[in-house]
Amino acid sequence: MPPSDQLLNHLHVRHVRSFDELVTTRFGDGVNALCWPRALQGNFEEVATKLEVGQGITHLIEEQLRALPLSPSGWMAVETMLEDHRLLTAHRLDPVLDCINGYLPVDDPGPLRTDVCSFHVDSATCEADTYLCTYFGASSEGLANEEAVRHIDLSGTRTRLLQHYGGVDDAGFREWLNDHYFDLHYAPLPEAKPYEFGVGNLWRVATLHAGSPVPPCIHRAPDPVPGQRRLLLIS
């Protein structure tokens, strides 16, 4: 999908022209998201439709994909997905191909939404980035850091979390926030303008880790639509 004017002019997004450039470009100067724009060939909708999956996230393996009864265009889509998987694996990453058929209900949603459909940042214990590509369905979207605020920094939300915690706002409370990932989720400001990752584009986004030269990329998965599947690569 060709990049939109919004992406081409975004301060935090840089476009690259190849896989090698995607994996070797260093984050810096405020850029915390790299996009390799691609117009992929193949019928990814056919692949998503032919998969026998239940509700929720199903990890896909090569044997499963190759067993599907597909048209030549469907096979082209499968080969594209597997090639992306091979490229990232060869780069010593751990990619996963997923079919997302909605999400399983959460027994206890807790005091604050912390699923992948909430704006959030990924965190890591060492230098690591997140790679994403949506092949079919609604794509993920990003948000500029200056257009968001952490939920825990909103007085009303912090008070509600503190009540749920049942203690005082001290080091123990901050540790509790971290243990439950509350400190990784963000609320868009009223003037925020999220940008779409787009279908077919391969992204690399910065995570929260010690020594990162840039703030982590705020992003989220789209809210599920009943009956609509997504095909996704994530690492």
Side-chain angles (χ1 to χ4, degrees), residues 100 103 113 115-120 132 134 138-142 219-224 230 232:
I100 301 176
Y103 295 98
R113 185 179 183 182
D115 59 75
V116 294
C117 298
S118 162
F119 277 113
H120 66 281
L132 288 169
T134 299
S139 74
S140 302
E141 60 180 1
H219 62 286
R220 78 178 191 98
D223 286 310
R230 297 177 66 218
L232 178 76

Side-chain angles (χ1 to χ4, degrees), residues 36-104:
W36 179 22
R38 307 184 299 176
L40 301 180
Q41 302 299 311
N43 191 337
F44 294 91
E45 181 177 6
E46 181 186 3
V47 177
T49 302
K50 292 291 181 66
L51 285 166
E52 295 184 5
V53 297
Q55 185 180 9
I57 302 175
T58 300
H59 298 322
L60 306 175
I61 60 174
E62 182 172 352
E63 291 77 10
Q64 179 184 11
L65 291 169
R66 294 201 180 280
L68 297 174
L70 299 172
S71 68
S73 184
W75 286 120
M76 187 181 299
V78 165
E79 291 297 340
T80 296
M81 295 167 62
L82 293 176
E83 177 61 17
D84 282 346
H85 190 278
R86 284 191 287 268
L87 283 171
L88 290 173
T89 300
H91 196 64
R92 298 183 180 179
L93 298 172
D94 190 20
V96 177
L97 293 170
D98 288 333
C99 179
I100 301 176
N101 186 24
Y103 295 98
L104 297 176

